């Protein structure tokens, strides 16, 4: 049967595939749109198989919150090259996946991959786009934060994003943004010293002890000096104890307490393509 330009355009809108790929798929499927979509998807899987050993280390990291500021989510969509990462349609795909995940109240990455985006599972949409773009794509990360106030921050360039949850509602947006930017800039390991994973504490303490011994300090002083170094680690690496980057005279805890003595961070998420 004859394949019209309108048919090709319709399939292109459905799949995002190129004009010639759409025309070829429709011709092979005798004008059957469902079969044509399957053919394009199979092409994507074939390309995916060929590029399975490639490194998809570029991409975008996006974050946003709901209208009531009670929930936020981060999603990461990887590709092979920075050229694709900067492409508007690639960024739009990541954004649509994030919107869908938030609207569907998804809680895990696996849930997100099974969600239906325009009638197709997200994981299959990504496979289709591999065929369209010709690069390996991957959806490696998704996470959420729920709190009385959630603030999102995306660093310019879409390579780094953070979410911060605060324990009070109605907080000035700038305060939340300041803390979210602190997380982006200083990469804390946890909210406070009590929430640092025990394995990290033990590792840092062991490193501190070894450094002290290598400096030739007496063995009976090793534990005390190591504890001092551990305290320094907590100050530098836990969010509430870190020096506020916008005011080196106070900590993040003190900054929040200037607004309300009980205001604090409940949790945060951070993802960077570089570290």
């Amino acid at each position: 049967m004859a394949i019209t330009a309108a048919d090709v355009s319709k399939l292109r809108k459905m799949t995002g595939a190129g004009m010639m790929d759409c025309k070829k798929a429709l011709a092979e499927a005798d004008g059957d749109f469902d079969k044509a979509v399957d053919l394009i998807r199979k092409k994507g899987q074939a390309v995916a198989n060929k590029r399975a050993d490639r490194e998809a280390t570029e991409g975008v990291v996006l974050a946003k919150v709901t209208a009531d500021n009670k929930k936020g989510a981060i999603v990461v969509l990887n590709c092979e090259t920075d050229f694709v990462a900067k492409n508007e349609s690639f960024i739009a795909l990541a954004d649509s996946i994030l919107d869908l995940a938030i609207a569907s109240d998804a809680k895990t990455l696996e849930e997100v991959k099974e969600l239906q985006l325009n009638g197709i599972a997200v994981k299959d949409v990504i496979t289709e786009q591999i065929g369209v773009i010709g690069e390996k794509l991957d959806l490696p990360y998704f996470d959420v934060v729920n709190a009385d106030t959630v603030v999102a921050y995306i660093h310019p360039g879409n390579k780094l994003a953070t979410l911060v949850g605060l324990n009070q509602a109605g907080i000035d947006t700038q305060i939340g943004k300041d803390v979210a930017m602190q997380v982006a800039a200083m990469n804390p390991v946890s909210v406070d010293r009590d929430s640092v994973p025990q394995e990290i504490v033990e590792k840092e303490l062991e490193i501190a002890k070894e450094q002290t011994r290598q400096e030739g300090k007496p063995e009976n002083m090793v534990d005390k000096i190591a504890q001092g170094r551990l305290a320094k680690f907590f100050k530098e690496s836990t969010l509430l104890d870190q020096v506020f980057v916008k005011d080196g005279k106070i900590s993040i805890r003190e900054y929040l307490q200037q607004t309300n003595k009980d205001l604090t961070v409940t949790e945060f998420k951070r993802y960077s393509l570089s570290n």
Side-chain angles (χ1 to χ4, degrees):
M1 64 174 291
I3 305 301
T4 67
D7 291 335
V8 174
S9 180
K10 179 181 176 181
L11 184 60
R12 188 181 187 189
K13 288 180 180 179
M14 291 170 64
T15 64
M19 295 291 284
M20 292 306 296
D21 287 333
C22 289
K23 184 175 181 180
K24 183 178 179 181
L26 281 168
E28 191 173 337
D30 293 325
D32 187 312
F33 278 89
D34 290 336
K35 288 183 180 179
V37 169
D38 285 341
L39 287 169
I40 290 172
R41 190 175 301 164
K42 287 175 181 176
K43 178 188 176 184
Q45 187 59 61
V47 175
N49 291 339
K50 288 180 181 179
R51 304 189 76 82
D53 60 344
R54 296 295 186 100
E55 290 289 328
T57 56
E58 292 291 341
V60 293
V61 187
L62 303 180
K64 62 177 60 178
V65 300
T66 52
D68 62 4
N69 298 320
K70 300 292 185 182
K71 177 180 179 178
I74 291 182
V75 73
V76 178
L77 184 62
N78 285 142
C79 57
E80 292 180 36
T81 65
D82 190 51
F83 176 79
V84 169
K86 292 178 179 177
N87 184 277
E88 289 184 6
S89 62
F90 178 81
I91 298 171
L93 173 61
D95 195 54
S96 64
I97 293 171
L98 180 56
D99 284 339
L100 176 64
I102 292 175
S104 303
D105 197 28
K107 296 175 176 60
T108 68
L109 178 61
E110 289 308 311
E111 286 181 36
V112 174
K113 290 181 177 180
E114 297 299 331
L115 293 174
Q116 297 290 305
L117 184 61
N118 299 324
I120 305 173
V122 167
K123 62 182 182 181
D124 294 328
V125 171
I126 291 172
T127 298
E128 282 185 5
Q129 290 302 303
I130 292 173
V132 173
I133 296 171
E135 286 193 8
K136 180 179 180 179
L137 306 183
D138 188 28
L139 189 72
Y141 179 87
F142 171 80
D143 214 337
V144 298
V145 168
N146 293 280
D148 290 311
T149 296
V150 181
V151 179
Y153 170 71
I154 303 174
H155 193 66
N158 298 328
K159 304 295 185 184
L160 165 64
T162 63
L163 289 172
V164 169
L166 300 168
N167 68 334
Q168 295 179 14
I171 302 301
D172 187 313
T173 302
Q174 187 58 50
I175 293 172
K177 185 177 180 181
D178 283 341
V179 180
M181 291 176 69
Q182 174 88 18
V183 173
M186 301 306 293
N187 193 15
V189 299
S190 68
V191 172
D192 56 26
R193 64 182 62 198
D194 292 334
S195 58
V196 178
Q198 188 58 35
E199 61 268 24
I200 292 180
V201 175
E202 292 173 357
K203 178 182 177 182
E204 290 299 322
L205 192 56
E206 188 57 39
I207 290 172
K209 288 180 180 179
E210 184 59 30
Q211 287 177 339
T212 304
R213 291 190 180 100
Q214 289 180 5
E215 290 168 0
K217 298 294 192 293
E219 188 62 32
N220 63 346
M221 295 291 292
V222 168
D223 285 342
K224 183 177 181 180
I225 296 173
Q227 287 295 334
R229 284 178 164 163
L230 182 62
K232 183 182 178 184
F233 166 78
F234 286 141
K235 183 176 181 180
E236 294 176 347
S237 303
T238 59
L239 177 59
L240 294 177
D241 289 327
Q242 283 180 340
V243 173
F244 183 26
V245 293
K246 292 179 69 174
D247 182 348
K249 297 178 180 180
I250 60 174
S251 67
I252 289 295
R253 178 182 282 104
E254 291 168 332
Y255 173 61
L256 293 174
Q257 289 176 346
Q258 288 178 355
T259 298
N260 184 297
K261 66 181 180 64
D262 296 319
L263 180 61
T264 192
V265 175
T266 56
E267 66 174 312
F268 67 83
K269 304 294 180 183
R270 178 186 190 275
Y271 195 101
S272 172
L273 291 178
S274 60
N275 63 1

